[in-house]
Structure formats: structure tokens, C-alpha cells
Amino acid sequence: MSSASGAPVSPVPIGVTVNGAEHEFGEPLTVRELLERLELPCQGVALAVDGAVFPKSRWDEPVGRGWEIDVLTAVQGG
């Protein structure tokens, strides 16, 4: 990417919160890439973004700046 003058422009960092921890990334990434980068499982989990369920069918969409993401795993018990 470059500016109108032709000088390179650094991408604006993307800040997100995942399970209460803040993370910043220098380049855009998808939800699936975010999970992989943070070494979180992609199988057997559900995601909530800003408190709403985020379906797996949307995991190849880019992560939005400022999202609060919760990675939820099923727990057995009674």
C-alpha cells in the first residue's frame, strides 16, 4: 500500500480482545487466522463477537477493529 505521494504506508494495527486479553495485529486477518495465530482450537468451539454468536460460516471474514471475541468450549458435567 502507498500514499498519494507514493511513499509506503504502514497498515493501521487492528486491536481486538480475545477472552479478555488485548491483542494487536499489524495486518488484516480472518477470524480463522486469528484463532490459528493465537493457537486456539478451530474445532469444538463456538465464538461470540461483542456478545452475539458468530457462526462458523463467517470465520473466513476479516476481524473487525475493536471486536471483543469470546472463544467458548463445551464442558461436560452436571
Side-chain angles (χ1 to χ4, degrees), residues 8-75:
V9 174
S10 299
V12 176
I14 297 170
V16 297
T17 302
V18 180
N19 291 346
E22 293 182 19
H23 298 275
E24 194 169 281
F25 301 95
E27 70 281 341
L29 68 166
T30 67
V31 173
R32 190 175 311 277
E33 291 168 336
L34 170 79
L35 294 175
E36 291 170 358
R37 180 99 37 107
L38 297 178
E39 298 180 357
L40 294 168
C42 290
Q43 298 292 327
V45 297
L47 295 184
V49 174
D50 296 333
V53 173
F54 196 82
K56 198 166 197 168
S57 62
R58 295 185 58 197
W59 286 14
D60 290 319
E61 294 181 13
V63 171
R65 187 171 285 109
W67 279 9
E68 290 191 26
I69 302 170
D70 292 303
V71 181
L72 310 166
T73 56
V75 179

